[in-house]
Amino acid sequence: MNPNKIYLTQTDTTVGFLSQNKEKLNTLKKRPKNKKILKEVDSLNTLKKFTRVPKEHKNRVRRAKKTTFIYPNGESFRVVRDIRHLEFLRKFKWMYSTSANLHGQKFDEKWARDKADIIVEDKRGLYEGEASRIYKLGKRKIKRIR
């Protein structure tokens, strides 16, 4: 498995492109090259390597499912709990993740399959599900973004 390839797979929330190459994902989706992308991580231990969870929010982060948090350092992470998606993600520990569509467009399966380097399917197939909830964490406050 090559971390620089773009994978098309069903994530814990919706169908998405995953890679450890952020620039390649932004180019594919025709977004600004410096636009931030969420990282999916396979565990809380992996999350600790990238950011510090504010003490006020540790329980919230530990218990959250299908939720993305933007941390005080400006980076966004989602700890994946879905067993089927974790099976794939554990091979890499973390990956950038974005929805499998052009920036601002709806999901087009044919386009997504054409653009992906590797397609990873399980028995669920590929479908556009509900996006994750997003919260911005401050040292003490929390703000719902989506």
Side-chain angles (χ1 to χ4, degrees), residues 32-110:
K33 295 228 185 302
N34 60 350
K35 182 157 172 102
K36 293 187 177 189
I37 299 179
L38 105 98
K39 285 183 190 163
E40 288 185 347
V41 294
D42 67 343
S43 67
L44 291 169
N45 282 333
T46 303
L47 177 65
K48 283 197 277 187
K49 294 176 184 172
F50 292 105
T51 190
R52 186 178 166 278
V53 179
K55 189 175 181 178
E56 292 280 323
H57 306 294
K58 286 187 184 221
N59 279 337
R60 178 176 288 112
V61 170
R62 190 171 46 247
R63 294 181 177 136
K65 292 180 182 151
K66 297 184 181 183
T67 306
T68 299
F69 293 102
I70 302 170
Y71 291 85
N73 67 0
E75 298 291 321
S76 58
F77 296 91
R78 183 168 72 240
V79 179
V80 174
R81 311 269 188 219
D82 179 77
I83 298 298
R84 292 166 292 210
H85 186 46
L86 256 179
E87 205 173 294
F88 168 76
L89 191 58
R90 279 196 180 121
K91 296 172 182 133
F92 300 96
K93 294 283 193 200
W94 68 273
M95 292 191 95
Y96 290 108
S97 176
T98 184
S99 57
N101 56 354
L102 276 171
H103 184 60
Q105 303 290 313
K106 284 283 194 192
F107 173 61
D108 176 358
E109 188 169 343
K110 183 184 179 329

Side-chain angles (χ1 to χ4, degrees), residues 3-19:
N4 285 316
K5 297 272 187 190
I6 293 181
Y7 296 86
L8 174 67
T9 187
Q10 185 64 42
T11 69
D12 54 339
T13 56
T14 190
V15 62
F17 289 127
L18 282 86
S19 179

